Amino acid sequence: MSVSSSGSALLVALLLVPVVGALVVAFLRDNDLLARRTALLFGLAEFVLAVLSWVSFEPGGARLQQHFSVDWIPALGVHLAFGVDGIALVMIAIIALLVPLLIGASWVDRLPEGRSAAGFLALILLEQALTIGVFAATDVFVFYVLFEVMLIPMYFLIGSYGGARRQYAAVKFFLYSFLGGMIMLASAIGAYSMASAELGRGTFDWPTLVAVVRDAPLSTQIWLFLGFFIAFAIKAPLVPLHTWLPDAAAEAPIVVTVLIVGILDKVGTFGFLRYLLPMFPEASKTLAPLVLVLAVAGILYGALLATGQRDMKRLIAYVSIAHFGFIALGVFAFSTQSQVGSVSYMVNHSIATGMLILVIGMVIARGGSTQISDYGGMYAVTPVLGGMLLLAGLTTLSLPGTNSFISEFLVLVGSYAREPVFTILGAVGMIMAALYVLWFYQRVMHGPVRGTALVGVAGGPGTATDPEVGARKAVADLNGREKAVLVPLVILIVGIGLYPKPVLDVITPAVDATMSSVGLSDPVGGN
């Protein structure tokens, strides 16, 4: 067993607390209220640990900090090794923030008959622990194991607690991701074999593999790169490996959709930066044009299909496909600005889209439908909810002053110096983004109160002749619990939008190290 600092205890706690919480909550099946309170307590404890981990992290120090390693399979050189750099730290922090908010948002969710809140919340906590492990793993085999195991709780969250087509969506999600993971394992074994031949011993240690594999012949790097890339492109998801996401997002419960879009998908883009670029620098540069084509195709495809969606949750899925295209564009444009923008986009997308999904869930809870056409005029009935939806929509389209603006701006400015054509095409997606967000908000919140979901729901005299009066009687605005869930996200949207420096300061040294490992300097005007 080895540790690099006292901060490693914080990382161990971050990994174990959600697991313990999941076990405790799972045994509270007969008391939903106690299960929810207990899950929230563990979620808040995890958030406190994440704050302490952030405070103890030194942006100007070693790349991997709070390192912890224990022998696991000595014969294969496998260690339970974990550590964080700036990129992993910000993702762990956003997971720790979102999970207690999601537990609070799920407080009054109607679960399928025969399903308990305890099981649902235990799976969420377990998913949190596994995802943190994925971001913190510094052993490639451990990363692979967690990459695959994290599919299991998500499969049950979708398949057991989702909508009418939940089984189809869960199986599709699992098969896509599992197949990608198996392909990645083949490449990981190839890298292990190279280390064994070079060093006389096999190892899955990430820094060691980086040192060995980065000097491999280009043809070897390309084959190994493709194995990892396919797994990450499925998870991200990039077009054309994206088709599992609309089904999973549409059928999953609202809080699980936040987990998928706001957290799980980031594993793919994280993998680009942690594994592809440092381990396979020459292959990354050689295949960058192909990735950029897929990235820009995703921006335009996602934005275009979002404009035609009738289902709110599918709309968000296609919005996210467009956003992940921006992230990939920044990563493979190979400038410090663009990559810092991509990592901050990962964080800010989780905040902005997480809030948008939660607000949409609150709309659905009042209207009883996911169809956009079933809504209209809700702002007159629920003005606070309407204001929250507007804010979430504006930050999703990266309005200046909101958190997403700085990320998208850095990606576009940083990418233009090296890839002007792809950047211009990506900017077209920004215009389309404004179209689909404003169209969606206008349809739901403005115009006459319409649709069976709202009109006449109150019943009684006067409802049929004055739909707005009837809707006011039946549809309440945001309650205290819902405001408590949304207010932290609003603070982050405005706070990071006005002062992003604390987040960028943590991200930038890790990005600098990644750029150095690729062997590229910033283009003129790109830093």
Side-chain angles (χ1 to χ4, degrees):
M1 171 178 170
S2 66
V3 299
S4 62
S5 70
S6 58
S8 62
L10 286 172
L11 185 55
V12 173
L14 279 166
L15 293 166
L16 293 181
V17 165
V19 176
V20 174
L23 292 172
V24 172
V25 171
F27 283 101
L28 302 175
R29 298 181 61 87
D30 296 329
N31 192 330
D32 279 358
L33 180 59
L34 181 59
R36 293 182 189 277
R37 288 176 174 173
T38 304
L40 181 60
L41 179 63
F42 276 97
L44 292 172
E46 185 77 350
F47 175 69
V48 171
L49 289 171
V51 171
L52 294 175
S53 179
W54 185 292
V55 171
S56 69
F57 186 82
E58 299 178 10
R63 176 166 187 179
L64 290 177
Q65 300 181 33
Q66 304 173 16
H67 192 262
F68 176 82
S69 179
V70 176
D71 286 345
W72 186 25
I73 311 176
L76 296 178
V78 177
H79 301 79
L80 290 173
F82 301 92
V84 295
D85 62 4
I87 301 171
L89 180 66
V90 294
M91 293 313 305
I92 291 171
I94 205 65
I95 298 168
L97 168 72
L98 284 178
V99 166
L101 298 180
L102 298 181
I103 293 171
S106 69
W107 206 271
V108 293
D109 278 356
R110 295 179 181 178
L111 300 176
E113 186 176 352
R115 304 294 182 183
S116 69
F120 181 72
L121 296 171
L123 289 170
I124 288 178
L125 289 171
L126 181 58
E127 187 67 33
Q128 180 186 31
L130 293 170
T131 309
I132 289 174
V134 166
F135 286 121
T138 59
D139 184 288
V140 176
F141 185 78
V142 173
F143 171 82
Y144 161 74
V145 171
L146 295 174
F147 184 91
E148 296 286 47
V149 173
M150 70 189 295
L151 303 178
I152 297 174
M154 187 56 67
Y155 170 83
F156 285 108
L157 284 168
I158 300 171
S160 298
Y161 297 92
R165 300 178 71 243
R166 58 183 180 269
Q167 291 295 334
Y168 168 78
V171 170
K172 189 175 183 180
F173 158 79
F174 185 88
L175 290 179
Y176 265 67
S177 297
F178 182 76
L179 176 61
M182 293 300 294
I183 297 171
M184 179 176 68
L185 176 61
S187 285
I189 292 173
Y192 174 88
S193 299
M194 290 183 62
S196 181
E198 180 80 15
L199 305 174
R201 59 180 177 82
T203 182
F204 285 100
D205 178 60
W206 175 71
T208 304
L209 287 182
V210 168
V212 171
V213 179
R214 62 176 290 105
D215 295 324
L218 177 60
S219 59
T220 302
Q221 281 197 31
I222 287 176
W223 282 108
L224 297 178
F225 173 99
L226 289 173
F228 280 88
F229 175 76
I230 290 171
F232 298 146
I234 290 173
K235 189 73 75 178
L238 294 184
V239 172
L241 303 175
H242 67 287
T243 59
W244 65 268
L245 179 59
D247 291 316
E251 298 303 323
I254 282 293
V255 297
V256 178
T257 301
V258 176
L259 282 175
I260 295 170
V261 176
I263 296 176
L264 222 65
D265 288 353
K266 305 304 189 304
V267 172
T269 49
F270 171 82
F272 293 162
L273 289 158
R274 170 61 70 85
Y275 294 96
L276 291 186
L277 271 57
M279 290 178 66
F280 317 111
E282 296 306 316
S284 297
K285 289 182 282 189
T286 301
L287 297 178
L290 171 62
V291 181
L292 290 171
V293 168
L294 298 180
V296 172
I299 296 170
L300 300 175
Y301 173 86
L304 183 62
L305 263 67
T307 61
Q309 293 305 306
R310 299 178 180 179
D311 185 283
M312 296 182 189
K313 295 168 76 177
R314 283 186 174 272
L315 169 72
I316 299 305
Y318 286 107
V319 170
S320 293
I321 289 170
H323 288 168
F324 280 105
F326 277 109
I327 296 173
L329 171 64
V331 171
F332 285 90
F334 296 117
S335 81
T336 301
Q337 276 187 335
S338 66
Q339 290 187 358
V340 168
S342 290
V343 178
S344 65
Y345 212 135
M346 291 162 62
V347 175
N348 289 323
H349 177 270
S350 296
I351 297 169
T353 306
M355 179 175 174
L356 182 59
I357 295 170
L358 288 173
V359 175
I360 286 174
M362 294 168 188
V363 171
I364 294 170
R366 285 158 173 79
S369 172
T370 63
Q371 297 299 303
I372 298 173
S373 59
D374 284 342
Y375 296 86
M378 280 197 72
Y379 187 84
V381 179
T382 55
V384 179
L385 177 60
M388 290 295 184
L389 183 60
L390 179 61
L391 176 61
L394 291 176
T395 190
T396 299
L397 62 85
S398 300
L399 183 76
T402 63
N403 63 323
S404 298
F405 172 74
I406 186 63
S407 302
E408 201 160 284
F409 180 78
L410 285 171
V411 169
L412 292 174
V413 172
S415 300
Y416 185 81
R418 201 184 294 276
E419 301 291 348
V421 175
F422 288 115
T423 305
I424 291 170
L425 291 173
V428 173
M430 293 176 63
I431 299 172
M432 298 174 68
L435 175 65
Y436 61 64
V437 171
L438 294 175
W439 173 85
F440 165 67
Y441 176 80
Q442 182 181 19
R443 287 287 302 273
V444 173
M445 287 294 163
H446 293 291
V449 177
R450 68 177 184 273
T452 55
L454 293 176
V455 177
V457 71
T463 300
T465 58
D466 192 344
E468 185 173 316
V469 171
R472 282 182 182 276
K473 293 178 180 178
V475 181
D477 210 337
L478 294 183
N479 59 37
R481 178 188 58 83
E482 292 169 325
K483 291 176 183 176
V485 168
L486 296 178
V487 164
L489 299 175
V490 172
I491 293 172
L492 287 174
I493 286 170
V494 177
I496 296 176
L498 297 178
Y499 190 66
K501 187 176 183 296
V503 176
L504 299 182
D505 284 348
V506 170
I507 293 169
T508 301
V511 169
D512 287 338
T514 300
M515 283 289 293
S516 176
S517 68
V518 176
L520 284 175
S521 59
D522 281 304
V524 176
N527 191 14

